């Protein structure tokens, strides 16, 4: 076998569906974790500078944001490992690999592991749907602030009444009602929208939300692949059982035929 034929045969054993799902999963998780981590830091800076100048008012929020950042570290590590495991599972269950290794036989343990991956991926997919919905909340909040600032900059806005345009973050439950000042109006709100922290955090939240959506799509893709692989393993197991029974029957038939010939020869 030449080098070219060997390369073609090896490329035929690559589970391209699992590879695409893995790349999409890694990209989505990386966008969500990286952008979400930086956006949370920027959000905390905005709140401390403009909406809650007293540290004790947002002490609990600070702890929650730090906890969420640690959770992001855990999510990134877990999905890096889980994506590699699912890709390896795709390599060992793809039909092309089974053609390369003709002695490959499925076992009950292998089918149970594939079934476990199907169940776990389904649970993770449902969980990431919740994460996707949750990641849209800060996008909505920042969009409200951005639209308020856009209204003030609009030529149709009543510039004499600019101080009547306010954003009160206390109504969202982010900080307590006794936080000082708790809201920003007029030129103060305009200054917030012009800061680098606001601009960067707003767009990073959008990218993080898109990353969460990409992760959901990747997990759905993985779920379809794992279900197909599990069905293939089940069919392969039944086929091996059928072939074993067929070979046993053929051996018994050969034994019966040979004994019949021996009896016939002894009689003659």
């Amino acid at each position: 076998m030449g080098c070219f034929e060997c390369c073609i045969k090896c490329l035929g054993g690559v589970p391209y569906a699992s590879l695409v799902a893995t790349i999409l999963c890694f990209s989505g998780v990386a966008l969500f974790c990286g952008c979400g981590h930086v956006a949370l830091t920027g959000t905390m800076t905005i709140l401390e500078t403009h909406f809650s100048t007293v540290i004790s008012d947002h002490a609990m929020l600070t702890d929650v944001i730090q906890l969420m950042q640690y959770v992001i570290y855990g999510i990134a590590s877990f999905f890096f490992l889980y994506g590699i495991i699912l890709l390896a599972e795709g390599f060992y269950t793809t039909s092309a690999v089974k053609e390369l290794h003709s002695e490959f036989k499925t076992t009950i343990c292998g089918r149970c592991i594939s079934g476990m991956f199907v169940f776990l991926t389904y649970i993770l997919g449902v969980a990431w749907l919740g994460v996707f919905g949750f990641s849209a909340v800060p996008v909505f909040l920042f969009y409200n602030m951005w639209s308020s600032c856009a209204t003030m900059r609009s030529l149709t806005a009543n510039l004499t009444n600019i101080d009547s345009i306010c954003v009160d973050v206390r109504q969202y439950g982010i900080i307590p009602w006794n936080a000082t000042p708790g809201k920003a109006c007029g030129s103060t709100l305009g200054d917030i929208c012009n800061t680098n922290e606001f601009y960067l955090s707003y767009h990073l939240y959008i990218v993080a939300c898109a990353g969460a959506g990409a992760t959901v799509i990747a997990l759905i893709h993985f779920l379809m692949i794992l279900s197909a692989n599990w069905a293939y393993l089940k069919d392969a197991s039944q086929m091996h059982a059928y072939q074993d029974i067929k070979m046993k029957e053929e051996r018994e038939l050969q034994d019966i035929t040979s004994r019949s010939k021996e009896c016939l020869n002894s009689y003659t």
Side-chain angles (χ1 to χ4, degrees):
M1 181 183 295
C3 181
F4 179 76
E5 290 80 2
C6 183
C7 292
I8 294 298
K9 197 171 184 180
C10 291
L11 289 176
V14 177
Y16 293 101
S18 296
L19 186 61
V20 170
T22 302
I23 295 174
L24 184 60
C25 183
F26 283 172
S27 301
V29 172
L31 288 175
F32 174 79
C33 293
C35 296
H37 186 278
V38 178
L40 286 173
T41 303
T43 301
M44 199 65 222
T45 302
I46 294 174
L47 290 174
E48 291 177 346
T49 306
H50 302 285
F51 292 100
S52 181
T53 56
V54 181
I55 298 178
S56 59
D57 291 340
H58 58 267
M60 183 177 178
L61 179 62
T62 302
D63 295 336
V64 171
I65 288 180
Q66 289 179 351
L67 178 61
M68 292 175 65
Q69 289 177 333
Y70 286 126
V71 170
I72 285 176
Y73 297 146
I75 290 175
S77 302
F78 172 78
F79 271 90
F80 177 77
L81 179 62
Y82 190 68
I84 292 177
I85 292 174
L86 290 183
L87 181 61
E89 200 270 347
F91 268 102
Y92 283 102
T93 53
T94 184
S95 59
V97 172
K98 292 180 178 62
E99 292 175 0
L100 292 175
H101 302 279
S102 58
E103 298 297 326
F104 179 87
K105 290 187 177 181
T106 60
T107 61
I108 296 177
C109 181
R111 295 195 299 274
C112 290
I113 292 176
S114 296
M116 180 193 69
F117 281 135
V118 172
F119 176 75
L120 183 57
T121 304
Y122 175 80
I123 297 299
L124 291 174
V126 173
W128 269 96
L129 279 175
V131 172
F132 176 65
F134 179 77
S135 63
V137 174
V139 176
F140 172 74
L141 299 181
F142 272 78
Y143 174 76
N144 284 341
M145 292 183 62
W146 177 84
S147 61
S148 299
C149 294
T151 302
M152 290 190 300
R153 291 192 296 266
S154 175
L155 295 178
T156 59
N158 185 4
L159 299 181
T160 60
N161 238 350
I162 192 173
D163 289 335
S164 62
I165 300 176
C166 300
V167 172
D168 192 346
V169 297
R170 295 173 297 185
Q171 64 183 338
Y172 301 115
I174 300 175
I175 56 178
W177 280 104
N178 58 356
T180 305
K183 66 178 181 179
C185 301
S187 59
T188 303
L189 179 60
D191 293 338
I192 295 174
C193 293
N194 291 328
T195 59
N196 292 329
E197 289 83 4
F198 177 84
Y199 182 83
L200 183 62
S201 298
Y202 179 36
H203 289 85
L204 286 179
Y205 276 128
I206 295 175
V207 176
C209 184
T215 305
V216 172
I217 296 174
L219 289 174
I220 294 174
H221 196 175
F222 267 130
L223 187 60
M224 293 188 294
I225 295 169
L226 292 170
S227 300
N229 289 341
W230 184 83
Y232 180 87
L233 291 175
K234 183 179 179 181
D235 293 341
S237 176
Q238 294 176 352
M239 181 61 67
H240 282 304
Y242 169 76
Q243 291 177 351
D244 291 339
I245 295 173
K246 184 179 179 181
M247 290 178 61
K248 181 188 277 188
E249 290 178 349
E250 289 177 352
R251 285 196 300 267
E252 292 178 353
L253 182 60
Q254 290 177 357
D255 293 339
I256 293 172
T257 304
S258 60
R259 287 197 298 268
S260 299
K261 290 182 178 179
E262 291 175 359
C263 292
L264 182 61
N265 292 331
S266 62
Y267 177 77
T268 55

